Amino acid sequence: MFSLALLLSYLVGSVSGSLLLGRLRGVDIRTLGSGNAGATNALRTQGKAFAAATVLIDLSKGAIAALVIAKLAATPEPSGAAFACALCAVIGHCLPVFFGFRGGKGAGTAFGAMLVLVPLTALAAIAIWLLCLLLTGYVGASTVLAALTALLGIFLITPLELPGLAYAAAMLLLVAGMHHSNLRRMFNGTENRFEKARLLRRWW
């Protein structure tokens, strides 16, 4: 049952919000803009409503895997099963079997799981993401900093909860790895900023 729960979580994660909605609209956003299947490219190429729906779907996948599917595992460590299922959903989002294993970068699904498992830490991470985005306009750097905040938050709040720490560490490595090209371009000064989000640009 544990293996089944992990497989189901991966399959749920493979239902990419932007790619599913794109098929209904007759577009593949991987061929537009930055070529990424995430919410940022969805916003830039398809508009606010499309991007909002994408975020909702991607957050829900992580929450469903952690809160619902993990209950099928019936293990003596329910938190461990929840975080394991959440991680499989994130992997499914990044490597979706339904879309040729070319998906998004996993942050939305990862934080969706955290919202139901460690809500205060998730909210703190999202607040850091928003602040960094408003200051810099760099979505990738903001996302990696939010993932680092999540790891530090879980460590400070529940330092002995190994499943949560392992999930946060894996999420940080995965998010950083998926955003490595963004970070490289940022350090080289060639990364595009999300200028409309830089409401605090006068401070930067």
Side-chain angles (χ1 to χ4, degrees):
M1 292 302 292
F2 182 68
S3 298
L4 176 61
L6 296 181
L7 175 60
L8 288 176
S9 296
Y10 168 77
L11 293 176
V12 167
S14 291
V15 182
S16 174
S18 64
L19 299 179
L20 176 63
L21 295 173
R23 281 191 178 179
L24 297 177
R25 184 174 286 193
V27 298
D28 185 343
I29 70 168
R30 294 174 298 184
T31 65
L32 304 171
S34 66
N36 183 253
T40 303
N41 196 36
L43 176 61
R44 286 171 171 162
T45 62
Q46 302 299 313
K48 294 179 181 179
F50 188 99
T54 295
V55 171
L56 181 60
I57 292 172
D58 291 347
L59 287 174
S60 298
K61 294 188 303 184
I64 290 171
L67 200 61
V68 179
I69 299 177
K71 292 182 179 180
L72 296 175
T75 66
E77 290 290 340
S79 65
F83 282 112
C85 287
L87 183 58
C88 285
V90 175
I91 294 172
H93 179 82
C94 297
L95 301 169
V97 66
F98 304 127
F99 298 98
F101 301 100
R102 289 180 54 224
K105 297 184 177 180
T109 301
F111 282 104
M114 292 188 64
L115 281 171
V116 298
L117 295 175
V118 281
L120 292 180
T121 298
L123 291 175
I126 292 172
I128 292 296
W129 176 85
L130 182 60
L131 178 61
C132 184
L133 182 63
L134 292 175
L135 282 170
T136 70
Y138 290 128
V139 178
S142 300
T143 304
V144 173
L145 185 58
L148 177 60
T149 301
L151 176 59
L152 293 175
I154 290 179
F155 177 76
L156 292 174
I157 295 173
T158 56
L160 299 180
E161 291 290 335
L162 293 181
L165 285 173
Y167 173 78
M171 186 183 74
L172 175 59
L173 292 174
L174 182 61
V175 168
M178 296 298 290
H179 287 86
H180 75 279
S181 59
N182 303 82
L183 296 176
R184 184 174 63 251
R185 288 193 299 268
M186 185 187 72
F187 286 120
N188 291 336
T190 58
E191 173 74 338
N192 292 325
R193 295 177 188 262
F194 195 5
E195 291 294 344
K196 290 183 179 180
R198 295 184 67 198
L199 300 180
L200 304 178
R201 59 184 175 274
R202 286 180 297 179
W203 296 1
W204 186 255

